[in-house]
Amino acid sequence: MRERMRTTAVAAVAVALSAALAAPAAAAGPGGGRTGDNDGHKATVRAVKAAVEGGVPGVTLRAEDRRGVWTTTAGVGNLRTERPRSPRDRYRVGSITKTFVATVLLQLEAEGRLSLDDTVDSWLPGLVTGNGHDGTRITLRQLLNHTSGIFNYTADEDFGRTYFLKDGFFEHRYDTLDPEELVRVAMSHKPDFAPGAGWHYSNTNYVLAGMVIEKATGRPYGEEIRRRVIKPLHLNGTSVPGNRTGVPAPGSRAYGKLTEDGSGPVHDVTRLNPSMASSAGEMISDSKDLNRFYRALLTGRLLPKKQLDTMTDTVAVDDRNGYGLGLMSTELSCGVTVWGHGGGIHGSISDAVTTRDGRHSLAFNFNGDWTGDPGAVIEAEYCGD
């Protein structure tokens, strides 16, 4: 579950799958969409090839702009059989899940069922407490824009050894973890700062947000996402897996090294129980659906103007990146600003972004988590030749 500002998959997986939780080699080539037509996407082709040449097993990518739909793939989806990746691949999207969760919470606000100024404790009494954490002082808005100060549970060293490094992962990959357990891990640490006094990416924020959705609606957050987003937009490749350990076909294998420094042999990490990510990063999707989702969101099909304006009101992360409510903005080198989110989970690094008007969308996935530069692919698509 990595934030896109992180550039190494090692940080995403070993320290955390810690945040988006984002953000090898075979011949590369175009596939699908405007087959063989790279006009306007030549830099993107080079960036995708570079990712594979740098060690990513395979890449699948889909771009949509005024010229239509364009897809490309590179590398392989299965290192053993050398089967290529497909434009139709489904994959774990990690922290891209956060945008779906924030969208549902904002829909509930628009319906008058909650307020972003409600405290966490008013919905989840007594849960956020201990070591300086105080849910009576933290608002739902602060959960969604990562200004709560709540410790990031995936940064806990014991949690990391148990679920992100080799020995622990293979022993515990099928464990079922309740959201309350994840929050308790965070509560065993001091907060990063007082509520509202800073910005720090924390997966715990979105575990809590998912729990608030369930409390407000009486239904699991995943059911609300299916009912409010997946079905209305006909996102047929998108799912909230819960405890299901596989990725629905069509899909590729996912690979990781399960080490802190990205060294060592490659392991197939496709199967796992995504409850370790919960509403911070468990979802599965494909590039077509992600483009459709972000385009619909940014053009007002999912939220009233008031809530969309609130979602896109960002906290500065650095001189080029801002974080709204489950939505990132990034100003690229050529002056174009894109909106979306990145995500990483074992063996899978993904990004999905679009321009504010929804006219140029991009979604892609690396099926390896220890190398590759997603930012270079985004720069190439929007700022290249």
Side-chain angles (χ1 to χ4, degrees):
M1 293 115 47
R2 90 165 159 84
E3 72 270 37
R4 192 172 65 249
M5 287 78 79
R6 279 196 183 171
T7 57
T8 68
V10 172
V13 176
V15 179
L17 270 180
S18 190
L21 255 197
R34 300 197 304 277
T35 304
D37 177 8
N38 296 329
D39 185 33
H41 302 280
K42 292 177 181 177
T44 308
V45 171
R46 292 196 296 270
V48 166
K49 287 182 178 180
V52 172
E53 290 165 359
V56 176
V59 182
T60 181
L61 178 149
R62 178 183 177 104
E64 301 180 44
D65 59 18
R66 59 182 174 78
R67 295 180 296 271
V69 175
W70 177 81
T71 66
T72 194
T73 63
V76 298
N78 188 312
L79 289 172
R80 181 178 58 83
T81 66
E82 297 187 346
R83 176 175 53 83
R85 294 213 67 175
S86 165
R88 298 176 59 242
D89 274 356
R90 297 177 184 179
Y91 44 82
R92 300 189 190 277
V93 302
S95 279
I96 291 174
T97 302
K98 291 179 172 68
T99 313
F100 288 83
V101 170
T103 298
V104 171
L105 265 178
L106 284 162
Q107 288 179 343
L108 292 172
E109 186 201 42
E111 295 163 9
R113 300 173 70 172
L114 54 75
S115 167
L116 293 182
D117 295 321
D118 291 344
T119 65
V120 175
D121 200 71
S122 68
W123 287 99
L124 306 170
L127 184 61
V128 177
T129 186
N131 288 308
H133 287 95
D134 184 356
T136 68
R137 299 177 56 212
I138 299 168
T139 67
L140 301 187
R141 187 189 312 273
Q142 290 168 337
L143 293 182
L144 297 185
N145 67 10
H146 296 297
T147 61
S148 71
I150 295 174
F151 184 83
N152 179 12
Y153 77 91
T154 55
D156 176 85
E157 290 185 8
D158 287 341
F159 192 92
R161 282 192 294 269
T162 302
Y163 295 103
F164 304 146
L165 302 184
K166 179 184 174 184
D167 292 343
F169 174 77
F170 284 115
E171 181 178 352
H172 295 282
R173 59 155 61 173
Y174 299 125
D175 289 0
T176 295
L177 300 177
D178 293 328
E180 291 83 358
E181 294 179 71
L182 305 180
V183 174
R184 283 197 294 272
V185 171
M187 295 302 103
S188 69
H189 296 264
K190 293 181 179 180
D192 294 314
F193 45 79
W199 185 90
H200 192 266
Y201 195 93
S202 174
N203 287 306
T204 315
N205 288 325
Y206 276 78
V207 174
L208 290 164
M211 297 173 74
V212 170
I213 290 172
E214 182 166 359
K215 201 70 176 286
T217 64
R219 288 180 288 270
Y221 91 93
E223 179 56 34
E224 288 299 304
I225 287 176
R226 282 188 285 269
R227 192 168 70 89
R228 293 168 173 271
V229 181
I230 292 174
K231 289 183 179 178
L233 294 182
H234 305 289
L235 305 182
N236 298 323
T238 303
S239 59
V240 185
N243 297 327
R244 295 193 302 277
T245 61
V247 176
S252 294
R253 308 305 295 178
Y255 298 99
K257 294 200 173 182
L258 303 174
T259 58
E260 291 192 37
D261 61 1
S263 64
V266 173
H267 303 281
D268 188 321
V269 296
T270 309
R271 298 189 70 85
L272 55 83
N273 185 329
S275 64
M276 69 176 73
S278 186
S279 48
E282 73 167 279
M283 288 181 66
I284 292 167
S285 191
D286 60 27
S287 298
K288 179 180 180 180
D289 279 6
L290 291 177
N291 281 342
R292 180 180 295 175
F293 167 63
Y294 279 104
R295 186 166 56 248
L297 177 63
L298 270 297
T299 57
R301 290 180 57 193
L302 293 173
L303 293 173
K305 183 179 186 302
K306 177 182 176 182
Q307 277 69 35
L308 184 56
D309 287 346
T310 300
M311 191 181 214
T312 55
D313 182 13
T314 61
V315 176
V317 176
D318 56 35
D319 60 351
R320 287 194 140 179
N321 296 284
Y323 201 97
L325 305 185
L327 193 65
M328 298 176 179
S329 66
T330 299
E331 182 182 352
L332 303 176
S333 63
C334 56
V336 172
T337 295
V338 292
W339 295 81
H341 215 289
I345 193 166
H346 302 74
S348 183
I349 299 294
S350 309
D351 260 284
V353 296
T354 188
T355 50
R356 185 63 180 80
D357 60 9
R359 293 181 179 178
H360 188 174
S361 302
L362 172 70
F364 61 94
N365 172 260
F366 297 168
N367 64 337
D369 62 28
W370 67 93
T371 188
D373 183 359
V377 177
I378 296 171
E379 278 279 344
E381 174 62 23
Y382 288 91
C383 298
D385 50 14

